[in-house]
Amino acid sequence: MNKGGGMKKMKYVLVTGGVVSGLGKGVTASSIGVLLKACGLRVTSIKIDPYLNTDAGTMSPFEHGEVYVLDDGGEVDLDLGNYERFLDIKLTRDNNITTGKIYQAVIDKERRGDYLGKTVQVVPHITDAIQEWIERVAMIPVDGQPGPADVCVIELGGTIGDIESMPFTEALGQFSYRVGKTTTYETLHDAAAGNFCLIHVSLVPVLSAVGEQKSKPTQHSVRGLRSLGLTPNILACRSTLALEENVKQKLSQFCHVPAENIITLYDVPNIWHLPSLLRDQKAHGAILGALNLLGVAREPNLKEWTSRAESCDMLLEPVRIAIVGKYTGLSDSYLSLLKALLHASVSLRKKLVVDWVPASDIEDETAKENPEAYKAAWKLLQGADGVLVPGGFGDRGVEGKILAAKYARENRIPFLGICLGMQIAVIEFARSILGLQDANSTEFDPDTKSPCVIFMPEGSKTHFGGTMRLGSRRTYFQVMDCKSAKLYGNRGFVDERHRHRYEVNPDMVSTLEDAGLSFTGKDETGQRMEIVELPNHPYYIGAQFHPEFKSRPGKPSALFLGLIAAACGQLDSLLHAHKIPNGMAKKVSLYQNGNATKFAKIPADGIYSNCNGVHA
Ligand code: GLN
């Protein structure tokens, strides 16, 4: 791209939402990125969250979905996970803009006296800060190649008209005017040419009484958008079925958007279909036209996406994974985990079925207080092919998680413990095998006589007061003859993302190892335990890091792949196939034809579970 030399102009695609929240704006924006990437362009992305929190680190996963962790330790909105997974890129904490971050930057500047006595105001100071932030961050390379990307997809969170997004809409209105028009000689006279393309995602509901597609809500939200100085180039309308021609005409007339730029985001069996759905309606043509890129981009190649989306729909043989966690009512709380399980299942051609087991329901106390819930929870656990204990904070459900780990260990059920889940596995082992009845983490019992998990903050010179060990850290394999090293492709080390304060007590490691536990991965000092395994168990692995954050469609994360393979009885063949994870589905054929179980309805994310509402 941009071979002609000269200063490269960044092209921006802004994605806004109207009418209601929860339209799948994030997945749509990610799919737009995939489509542009398939046209040969390099793509980066920025997510704007108009809330006041500086980052998502302090937000409850129950309220806001999971906290996604980046390589640089940024604790960000889960939509950045969608971008990383869809575009196979690595974002930075600055790719997530919040009101809190912008105000903090402006107030810091004011305190330094940088405004030279001026009255500091939302317009122009906050709005300028937003634009400067966007322009700066858009230039950061995120795909491993040198130099900035060609296109930056910006997603504005929330719905147009929200009070808290006003400074952003004002800033983006100014921004579209300022960067929108291209100034090169060749394109100066082309009215359509520019550097800015606005895609408005909206809803076209169908009233069941009359069965008619209603365009009015979209008309209103576009009017709102225009009143804020933003003109949509493309309308992407969510609706159950494709838009009828007369509805498109009406929308075109009232919203001043050409009918061919009105795309329907109708319901698809799984979200991997979205890029091709956009391509089939020529969304790329409209975007590339608006960005004056028609001459440089190629026809999109989405072969990999289409075949993955289609093969995901056709999977029949289930693999049942019990997730024993705290927030089992809302699957967004464990979004990356679900995605990692899905990537692994799809690559092994299994239909993922997730059974959510509320950790506290398997505790003895529940047997007395709510015997029905107790029975139901144990039934789910006992029906699972594999057990996963995810990360978590706080002591609710900890005893239940310990029981789940014990059950998996004793019954030789494949088990993966992540972060807290690894700590749980160590506590359970210390209690059951070393006979240390009160073994615990000092997070849950500060006075325990057997502290097998302790507070181990990382001495950070830059983040005063921050005690969390966050972001990418290196794990060195201690032996090569272990499942985790093999699953990671026999590399000497691996970089994964962390988010924790507590760790296995180094003083207890030799006792634990003498009793049969094996710490197969450690940090560079040998003091921090990163991976634990039970060698004489079919698959019993705990990781202090969160491998789920680096799992990608087509590139399943090693430890998840191991769990699913073990749960389907395929681990040995997987481990014997020397070259593992990346793109493994193509290299190793592990197809198994068993008794197919039919499911009535295909869920939109390809994951079957006993809980609804997974979004991306
Ligand atoms: N609460 C544990 C810790 O801080 C585990 C954290 C996690 O699972 N993310 O170490």
Side-chain angles (χ1 to χ4, degrees):
M1 285 293 316
N2 233 36
K3 293 198 183 83
M7 252 289 274
K8 177 166 173 169
K9 268 242 183 256
M10 179 59 65
K11 307 276 180 177
Y12 297 93
V13 175
L14 172 63
V15 181
T16 57
V19 186
V20 289
S21 60
L23 287 176
K25 188 159 34 97
V27 184
T28 306
S30 307
S31 303
I32 287 164
V34 169
L35 183 58
L36 295 175
K37 192 175 162 186
C39 291
L41 298 165
R42 290 176 55 213
V43 182
T44 180
S45 81
I46 293 175
K47 168 80 198 289
I48 298 175
D49 283 307
Y51 46 67
L52 277 164
N53 307 55
T54 33
D55 64 33
T58 55
M59 297 170 91
S60 158
F62 196 59
E63 208 172 292
H64 200 77
E66 76 175 1
V67 176
Y68 190 76
V69 182
L70 300 169
D71 264 1
D72 67 4
E75 298 174 278
V76 294
D77 190 85
L78 52 76
D79 274 318
L80 276 86
N82 291 328
Y83 291 112
E84 286 206 339
R85 282 187 288 269
F86 269 58
L87 295 168
D88 196 11
I89 52 178
K90 281 187 185 157
L91 297 170
T92 73
R93 67 174 79 230
D94 285 355
N95 290 71
N96 193 187
I97 304 181
T98 66
T99 299
K101 278 185 193 170
I102 296 288
Y103 273 76
Q104 196 163 54
V106 170
I107 292 169
D108 284 351
K109 236 171 128 176
E110 184 271 332
R111 290 290 84 188
R112 283 199 305 267
D114 291 0
Y115 291 110
L116 307 173
K118 286 229 158 38
T119 310
V120 183
Q121 295 179 297
V122 173
V123 183
H125 301 102
I126 293 290
T127 47
D128 280 353
I130 293 168
Q131 296 178 64
E132 283 159 19
W133 193 299
I134 291 173
E135 285 186 287
R136 173 175 62 83
V137 173
M139 301 305 275
I140 302 173
V142 293
D143 57 1
Q145 294 181 52
D150 303 306
V151 181
C152 176
V153 177
I154 306 168
E155 179 194 347
L156 176 61
T159 310
I160 286 299
D162 293 349
I163 289 180
E164 54 180 10
S165 56
M166 287 300 177
F168 291 103
T169 36
E170 173 61 28
L172 289 161
Q174 293 179 17
F175 189 66
S176 68
Y177 173 70
R178 190 162 63 75
V179 306
K181 291 278 169 283
T182 180
T183 48
T184 61
Y185 175 77
E186 302 91 278
T187 52
L188 200 57
H189 305 292
D190 182 351
N195 302 311
F196 192 86
C197 174
L198 172 53
I199 302 176
H200 188 58
V201 182
S202 177
L203 176 72
V204 175
V206 172
L207 291 191
S208 52
V210 272
E212 198 186 335
Q213 292 180 333
K214 292 301 201 182
S215 67
K216 196 72 87 186
T218 302
Q219 291 181 38
H220 279 301
S221 85
V222 170
R223 192 169 303 154
L225 199 60
R226 286 183 177 284
S227 71
L228 296 164
L230 286 162
T231 308
N233 299 81
I234 295 168
L235 294 182
C237 303
R238 274 302 299 269
S239 114
T240 31
L241 300 172
L243 284 190
E244 286 154 22
E245 208 41 54
N246 65 325
V247 179
K248 265 194 190 176
Q249 290 303 337
K250 207 166 172 183
L251 280 172
S252 169
Q253 195 177 356
F254 285 101
C255 303
H256 311 174
V257 173
E260 62 270 22
N261 287 12
I262 301 178
I263 314 282
T264 322
L265 303 171
Y266 51 83
D267 293 352
V268 283
N270 73 67
I271 56 170
W272 293 336
H273 284 286
L274 264 176
S276 43
L277 179 148
L278 291 166
R279 179 211 44 206
D280 293 347
Q281 297 179 57
K282 308 256 182 312
H284 56 293
I287 302 169
L288 297 171
L291 297 179
N292 193 31
L293 287 173
L294 277 171
V296 282
R298 58 164 196 246
E299 270 304 299
N301 176 359
L302 286 170
K303 234 186 252 154
E304 197 191 320
W305 281 84
T306 339
S307 74
R308 187 166 42 237
E310 282 165 6
S311 68
C312 180
D313 291 343
M314 289 182 319
L315 300 176
L316 293 172
E317 204 185 326
V319 54
R320 302 196 83 92
I321 301 297
I323 300 185
V324 185
K326 185 158 119 179
Y327 306 111
T328 52
L330 185 73
S331 41
D332 264 7
S333 315
Y334 297 113
L335 189 65
S336 295
L337 204 73
L338 286 171
K339 294 300 165 191
L341 286 169
L342 182 71
H343 301 159
S345 309
V346 171
S347 78
L348 292 171
R349 310 218 186 266
K350 290 287 181 280
K351 182 201 290 279
L352 175 64
V353 182
V354 169
D355 286 323
W356 295 97
V357 182
S360 44
D361 283 4
I362 57 175
E363 293 172 4
D364 295 346
E365 227 160 85
T366 310
K368 286 178 241 135
E369 285 165 13
N370 189 349
E372 286 306 307
Y374 179 80
K375 254 200 280 176
W378 271 101
K379 194 165 170 231
L380 283 178
L381 187 60
Q382 285 161 346
D385 303 317
V387 175
L388 193 150
V389 177
F393 295 83
D395 59 3
R396 203 177 89 202
V398 162
E399 292 302 320
K401 292 176 188 173
I402 293 174
L403 287 169
K406 184 178 169 71
Y407 164 80
R409 183 179 55 76
E410 291 179 346
N411 294 282
R412 303 179 66 74
I413 311 291
F415 171 91
L416 178 60
I418 291 176
C419 205
L420 176 63
M422 167 193 183
Q423 300 169 1
I424 292 286
V426 173
I427 296 168
E428 194 281 315
F429 188 87
R431 286 188 188 177
S432 301
I433 307 297
L434 297 181
L436 302 169
Q437 293 305 328
D438 80 331
N440 214 330
S441 162
T442 53
E443 181 179 7
F444 313 125
D445 179 4
D447 304 320
T448 173
K449 299 220 166 44
S450 314
C452 49
V453 177
I454 56 165
F455 184 50
M456 276 179 64
E458 234 174 26
S460 166
K461 294 198 176 67
T462 47
H463 293 84
F464 296 106
T467 51
M468 191 92 85
R469 188 162 177 254
L470 274 170
S472 185
R473 298 284 186 283
R474 190 155 284 184
T475 293
Y476 293 88
F477 291 103
Q478 307 298 303
V479 282
M480 280 302 153
D481 188 22
C482 64
K483 294 186 187 86
S484 56
K486 287 182 188 158
L487 284 165
Y488 273 107
N490 299 309
R491 282 180 281 162
F493 60 83
V494 61
D495 295 324
E496 293 279 16
R497 297 176 184 175
H498 295 68
R499 183 174 186 248
H500 62 103
R501 292 189 180 89
Y502 293 80
E503 277 172 62
V504 176
N505 184 351
D507 292 342
M508 288 182 68
V509 164
S510 57
T511 318
L512 289 161
E513 289 209 305
D514 290 346
L517 211 53
S518 179
F519 291 96
T520 53
K522 300 184 183 175
D523 79 334
E524 69 283 358
T525 67
Q527 287 300 296
R528 296 181 190 272
M529 302 305 120
E530 293 281 7
I531 306 176
V532 66
E533 291 187 38
L534 258 185
N536 53 13
H537 185 286
Y539 192 83
Y540 195 90
I541 296 188
Q544 187 56 73
F545 48 78
H546 291 267
E548 66 270 27
F549 294 133
K550 284 172 78 172
S551 183
R552 303 278 186 267
K555 290 185 193 170
S557 171
L559 298 183
F560 285 88
L561 196 61
L563 175 70
I564 299 292
C568 318
Q570 298 181 7
L571 185 64
D572 283 344
S573 40
L574 180 67
L575 293 180
H576 283 118
H578 289 299
K579 268 201 90 65
I580 324 185
N582 294 355
M584 62 97 20
K586 279 179 233 127
K587 293 181 189 118
V588 207
S589 173
L590 293 156
Y591 224 116
Q592 268 201 347
N593 291 316
N595 291 334
T597 314
K598 278 244 181 315
F599 286 80
K601 190 173 172 291
I602 302 173
D605 51 13
I607 302 168
Y608 299 77
S609 83
N610 59 339
C611 145
N612 294 318
V614 183
H615 100 50

